[in-house]
Structure formats: structure tokens, C-alpha cells
């Protein structure tokens, strides 16, 4: 199992924090970033490495929205459904994105490029409805502004002010 | 030794005791759902709320984890406390309308029905099973998964738990009896090629875990899960063959 590249990133993450139990969440953040999810194998391996029961790792991985036990897409879209954004019809935005990317509910698209998730409040209610693509917050999104365009343009059109940076980032990644 | 009053009754309480302990020792009943003497207070069910008066103002606290203080005046029953308890039990009744313990408690508190759309759960998320597994058994085989409306008690990844020793402590403490285990005489493994009989086993239904039972070397009757005997034997520092015989054959 140690030769597995996924487990190697895990090893280096554990190493970085000196193998301390208290660093569990920090290590899990690193794994989530590198692998896109906290998989069952990772959780079991991590529990062995840190000498923590698997149940504790599982509990933390399912409790915090920052982690996911299901694999996420290369680009992770978070749609805010907190009170303020909800009242500005963020559910419709979520539905629209799902339709465009062919994702039923929360989860990842078939090609593994995108995943969508509903989140509660991202702390910028004044700019709502908001969504975030990867770590980039997009303000004042509305469902009407999402046209039927090829995928890379969808992201641009979905956002108002911060659109250009997101498209650029996406194209560079490609 | 702090002096306090509970429902007007003058009581001298031991240092470090909680309001709930002192009240129960003095014959004052406070309903609880997530409290067990052997476990650390948890304060999850909120049924044990009482009103405390520390001199300047009154406030509502959970009595199970509130330590007694000098001059504390506690009220265990008044209009607002009863209203809150009724609300809590009504919500529990909504979630678990078929759990006997919940129905009995609702009956005791005078709640006959619920005005919300009912569900059919049995677990009230009191956390006693999780806590007994951690604090008493030390196995930590189960934990809470997710949060909010999706919160549930589960084994890791909803699969067989490698840490479960099949002791049944969780079955014993569960107030709603929604955790079950049973011993089977002929457990079967099913493969694509066919089935294999694996003999005596203990099945922990909720944790999707099956543990083979060790049989007595002399009479061939099942004793306890093999893994449990291994763990306990190691903990107690016994010789590897110390637990090979059943109680009857030992005598």
C-alpha cells in the first residue's frame, strides 16, 4: 500500500505535521486538497498512521462540509443556500447548474471535471446570491444569466464581476 | 459542602456533584434520556433542564452537567420548564413515534400527539452507545456520522467495523432498544462459487459486523466472540490459553 501514489501524498501530509494526533484536521485538509476526497482507504490508512480509531476519522470526514467521502470533480462549485441567498432564489441556480453539467443533485459530473454542492453561508450575504468555483467567490449570480453554452463559458456567464479570472484559470488548467 | 435549595428544599450536597445527581438522591424526579450514571454527562437530550437562581437572575440550564454551587436555588418544575420539556418530547415523538421509551416519556409528560409530520426512526441520537463504546469499552468502534438532519450513529463507512469486539454494551445502554445483536449457530458466507458454513457467530446488526464465536475446547459450546476474548485477555494480561474453556468446564 505504501507504493501507491495516493498513500505517498498521505505520508508526506502526516510527516509535515510530525505525525501528531491533534493535527488530524489539518492533515485531512491536505488530503482533501490533493485527492479531492477522503476515501475509505485514505481514512483507514490515516487512522493507522496516527493511531486514531477509524470511527473518529470517519466522523470528522462526514461532519465538516470541507471534507467529502465521495470524490469531487476537478472544479468544485459551491452554491450558497444560506437564508439570504436562498431568498434570492439560489435553489434555481443550483438546479440550473445541475442541468448544464448533467449532475443530478449534489455530486460530480461523469467526466469528473465538475462537482456541485450546496453550502450554507459563505460570509458575503450582501453580495448574494453567491457561489464559489474552486476557491473563487462569484457574486450576484442569477439563474437567468446561465445560458446554454459549452462548459467553459458557462462558468464565465454565471458570474458577474469576477468572471474573467475564473475563465482564465479554467482554461489554463485545461 | 455547598448548601443549596431544590424546589424549596434545603439540601447539603457533596462537592463536585451535579444538580441531577443531588436531586435524584433527594427523591426529586427529573426526566432524562441521554444520562447514564456510568457515563460522563452529555447534555444532548435537554429534557433535564431546570431553572437556577444564582442571586441576580434566573436561567435555564441542563441539570445533568451543571455542578452545584453554594447558595444556588433550583426549580425543577415550573410553567416554562414544563412547556420546553413538552416541546422536546413532542419533537422526539415526531421522529420516533414507534419507540416505546419515547412513548412512555411522552405519556409521563402529558404529551398525547404531535402536530408535525411524523417519521419512523428509532434512534433518538442520545449518543449513549457511542459514549459507552469509547468511555467504558475503549473500542471506539462506532461514531456519529454527518450532522444536522442526516446525523446518525454508524460504523466507519457504514461497513463492518474492525474495532467492534461484540460486547453488546451499546445494545444494553440503548434507551429505545434500536441496537440489536444475536448469536447464530450456523453463519453462512456467500460467494459466487457457493456458500460456506462458518459455524457459531455473533451478529451486530446495526454495525454490519459479524464476529466468529470461540468454542469451548472441552464441551464445544460457544463462549464469546474470539476477537473479544483476545482483546480482553490482552488487557488483563492473561495467558493465551486462559480463556479456552467455558465457565461450566472450568468448574
Amino acid at each position: 500500500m505504501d507504493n501507491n501514489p495516493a498513500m505517498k501524498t498521505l505520508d508526506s501530509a502526516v510527516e509535515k505535521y510530525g505525525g501528531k494526533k491533534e493535527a488530524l484536521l489539518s492533515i485531512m485538509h491536505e488530503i482533501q486538497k490533493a485527492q479531492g476526497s477522503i476515501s475509505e482507504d485514505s481514512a483507514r490508512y490515516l487512522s493507522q498512521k496516527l493511531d486514531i480509531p477509524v470511527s473518529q476519522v470517519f466522523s470528522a470526514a462526514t461532519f465538516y462540509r470541507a471534507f467529502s467521502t465521495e470524490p469531487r470533480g476537478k472544479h468544485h462549485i459551491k452554491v450558497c443556500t444560506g437564508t439570504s441567498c436562498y431568498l434570492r432564489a439560489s435553489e434555481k441556480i443550483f438546479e440550473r447548474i445541475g442541468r448544464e453539467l448533467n449532475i443530478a443533485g449534489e455530486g460530480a459530473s461523469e467526466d469528473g471535471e465538475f462537482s456541485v454542492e450546496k453550502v450554507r453561508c459563505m460570509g458575503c450575504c450582501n453580495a448574494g446570491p453567491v457561489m464559489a468555483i474552486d476557491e473563487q467567490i462569484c457574486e450576484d449570480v442569477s439563474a437567468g444569466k446561465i445560458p446554454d453554452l459549452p462548459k467553459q463559458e458557462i462558468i464565465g456567464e454565471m458570474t458577474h464581476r469576477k468572471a474573467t479570472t475564473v475563465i482564465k484559470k479554467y482554461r489554463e488548467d485545461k | 459542602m455547598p448548601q443549596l435549595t431544590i424546589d424549596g428544599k434545603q439540601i447539603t450536597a457533596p462537592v463536585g456533584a451535579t444538580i441531577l445527581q443531588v436531586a435524584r438522591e433527594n427523591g426529586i424526579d427529573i426526566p432524562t434520556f441521554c444520562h447514564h450514571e456510568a457515563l460522563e454527562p452529555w447534555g444532548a437530550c435537554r429534557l433535564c433542564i431546570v431553572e437556577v437562581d444564582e442571586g441576580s437572575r434566573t436561567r435555564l440550564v441542563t441539570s445533568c452537567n451543571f455542578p452545584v454551587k453554594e447558595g444556588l436555588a433550583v426549580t425543577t418544575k415550573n410553567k416554562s420548564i414544563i412547556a420546553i420539556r413538552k416541546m422536546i418530547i413532542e419533537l422526539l415523538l415526531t421522529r420516533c413515534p414507534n419507540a416505546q421509551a419515547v412513548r412512555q416519556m411522552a405519556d409521563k409528560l402529558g404529551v398525547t400527539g404531535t402536530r408535525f409530520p411524523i417519521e419512523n426512526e428509532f434512534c433518538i441520537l442520545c449518543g449513549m452507545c457511542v459514549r459507552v463504546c469509547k468511555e467504558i469499552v475503549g473500542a471506539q468502534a462506532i461514531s456519529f456520522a454527518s450532522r444536522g438532519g442526516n446525523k446518525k450513529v454508524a460504523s466507519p463507512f457504514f461497513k463492518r467495523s474492525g474495532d467492534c469486539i461484540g460486547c453488546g454494551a451499546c445494545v444494553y445502554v440503548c434507551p429505545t432498544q434500536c441496537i440489536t445483536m444475536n448469536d447464530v449457530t450456523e453463519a453462512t458466507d456467500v460467494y459466487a462459487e457457493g456458500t460456506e458454513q462458518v459455524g457459531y457467530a455473533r451478529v451486530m446488526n446495526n454495525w454490519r459486523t459479524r464476529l466468529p464465536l470461540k468454542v469451548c475446547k472441552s464441551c464445544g459450546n460457544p463462549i464469546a466472540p474470539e476477537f473479544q476474548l483476545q482483546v480482553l485477555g490482552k488487557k488483563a494480561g492473561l495467558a493465551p490459553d486462559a480463556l479456552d474453556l467455558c465457565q461450566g468446564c472450568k468448574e
Side-chain angles (χ1 to χ4, degrees):
Chain A
M1 216 152 123
D2 289 30
N3 299 324
N4 189 332
M7 296 308 150
K8 266 199 184 133
T9 58
L10 219 148
D11 277 339
S12 66
V14 172
E15 201 95 328
K16 189 173 161 191
Y17 291 94
K20 282 190 194 129
K21 285 182 193 180
E22 306 90 283
L24 175 67
L25 290 180
S26 307
I27 295 168
M28 280 167 72
H29 272 297
E30 300 254 330
I31 299 167
Q32 175 74 43
K33 212 169 158 191
Q35 302 178 356
S37 72
I38 309 280
S39 67
E40 190 182 338
D41 287 343
S42 305
R44 290 193 191 279
Y45 188 69
L46 187 61
S47 86
Q48 245 177 44
K49 272 255 152 187
L50 297 179
D51 195 21
I52 295 172
V54 202
S55 61
Q56 297 305 301
V57 181
F58 173 64
S59 189
T62 53
F63 183 87
Y64 295 104
R65 288 311 286 263
F67 307 126
S68 150
T69 49
E70 299 294 319
R72 280 179 182 169
K74 222 157 92 195
H75 299 280
H76 188 59
I77 302 173
K78 289 184 261 188
V79 181
C80 179
T81 54
T83 312
S84 180
C85 292
Y86 180 83
L87 290 174
R88 297 186 198 177
S90 62
E91 287 282 332
K92 281 194 178 150
I93 296 165
F94 178 77
E95 273 168 34
R96 184 70 197 259
I97 293 169
R99 254 201 328 273
E100 299 289 353
L101 301 175
N102 222 347
I103 303 170
E106 291 178 303
S109 61
E110 243 170 61
D111 56 2
E113 282 285 321
F114 294 97
S115 54
V116 258
E117 180 194 24
K118 285 183 195 174
V119 295
R120 312 274 172 241
C121 202
M122 295 195 265
C124 38
C125 307
N126 63 319
V130 293
M131 52 181 263
I133 302 167
D134 298 328
E135 295 306 311
Q136 180 74 55
I137 302 254
C138 309
E139 301 172 345
D140 203 6
V141 186
S142 82
K145 285 179 201 139
I146 310 171
D148 294 306
L149 288 171
K151 274 178 191 170
Q152 56 262 58
E153 265 102 310
I154 293 170
I155 294 180
E157 288 293 328
M158 280 192 296
T159 67
H160 236 21
R161 284 165 236 173
K162 304 266 177 76
T164 41
T165 48
V166 180
I167 300 177
K168 229 172 153 185
K169 187 167 179 284
Y170 177 71
R171 289 200 173 136
E172 271 166 19
D173 282 352
K174 264 221 142 142
Chain B
M1 299 264 268
Q3 296 265 347
L4 73 158
T5 58
I6 301 181
D7 289 346
K9 198 173 162 187
Q10 199 78 34
I11 292 166
T12 310
V15 181
T18 62
I19 294 175
L20 181 70
Q21 277 171 354
V22 176
R24 286 195 170 166
E25 268 161 32
N26 287 279
I28 297 160
D29 182 45
I30 297 172
T32 58
F33 249 143
C34 72
H35 182 261
H36 194 283
E37 305 89 81
L39 301 171
E40 290 287 315
W42 184 247
C45 73
R46 321 302 289 181
L47 270 180
C48 69
I49 52 153
V50 293
E51 195 176 81
V52 297
D53 187 349
E54 289 167 290
S56 52
R57 65 194 174 98
T58 64
R59 59 191 177 120
L60 293 167
V61 298
T62 45
S63 62
C64 67
N65 56 7
F66 197 92
V68 291
K69 272 186 231 163
E70 181 65 43
L72 207 64
V74 182
T75 316
T76 66
K77 239 180 219 167
N78 67 22
K79 222 172 143 189
S80 65
I81 293 171
I82 288 172
I84 292 170
R85 282 190 192 145
K86 275 188 162 175
M87 188 67 211
I88 294 167
I89 201 69
E90 187 176 342
L91 289 168
L92 278 175
L93 200 60
T94 309
R95 181 183 161 88
C96 314
N98 299 319
Q100 200 191 3
V102 176
R103 295 202 72 94
Q104 278 172 356
M105 185 64 85
D107 207 39
K108 196 171 142 192
L109 297 177
V111 174
T112 48
T114 167
R115 65 198 112 147
F116 310 110
I118 58 164
E119 293 164 30
N120 189 21
E121 265 288 338
F122 278 89
C123 176
I124 58 168
L125 297 172
C126 64
M128 281 215 261
C129 49
V130 175
R131 284 181 288 148
V132 80
C133 197
K134 185 179 179 182
E135 291 172 25
I136 311 288
V137 184
Q140 299 201 49
I142 51 171
S143 64
F144 286 115
S146 297
R147 62 170 172 189
N150 299 324
K151 190 174 180 177
K152 49 178 86 67
V153 178
S155 52
F157 295 93
F158 306 102
K159 288 184 181 167
R160 194 187 82 81
S161 170
D163 296 321
C164 179
I165 62 167
C167 63
C170 48
V171 180
Y172 175 75
V173 293
C174 181
T176 58
Q177 276 119 42
C178 66
I179 305 171
T180 55
M181 70 171 188
N182 53 295
D183 289 354
V184 292
T185 48
E186 274 302 335
T188 317
D189 270 341
V190 180
Y191 303 106
E193 299 84 39
T195 58
E196 188 194 347
Q197 300 289 330
V198 289
Y200 295 108
R202 173 164 297 174
V203 186
M204 308 298 295
N205 296 305
N206 300 52
W207 320 134
R208 302 179 187 187
T209 300
R210 194 182 70 191
L211 296 139
L213 291 176
K214 191 169 192 164
V215 291
C216 174
K217 268 201 172 157
S218 141
C219 67
N221 284 329
I223 313 170
E226 215 164 331
F227 183 53
Q228 184 186 123
L229 294 176
Q230 269 172 25
V231 171
L232 296 181
K234 212 167 159 192
K235 226 179 191 176
L238 300 176
D241 60 348
L243 298 165
D244 278 356
L245 297 174
C246 71
Q247 203 59 37
C249 292
K250 260 186 217 164
E251 286 158 6

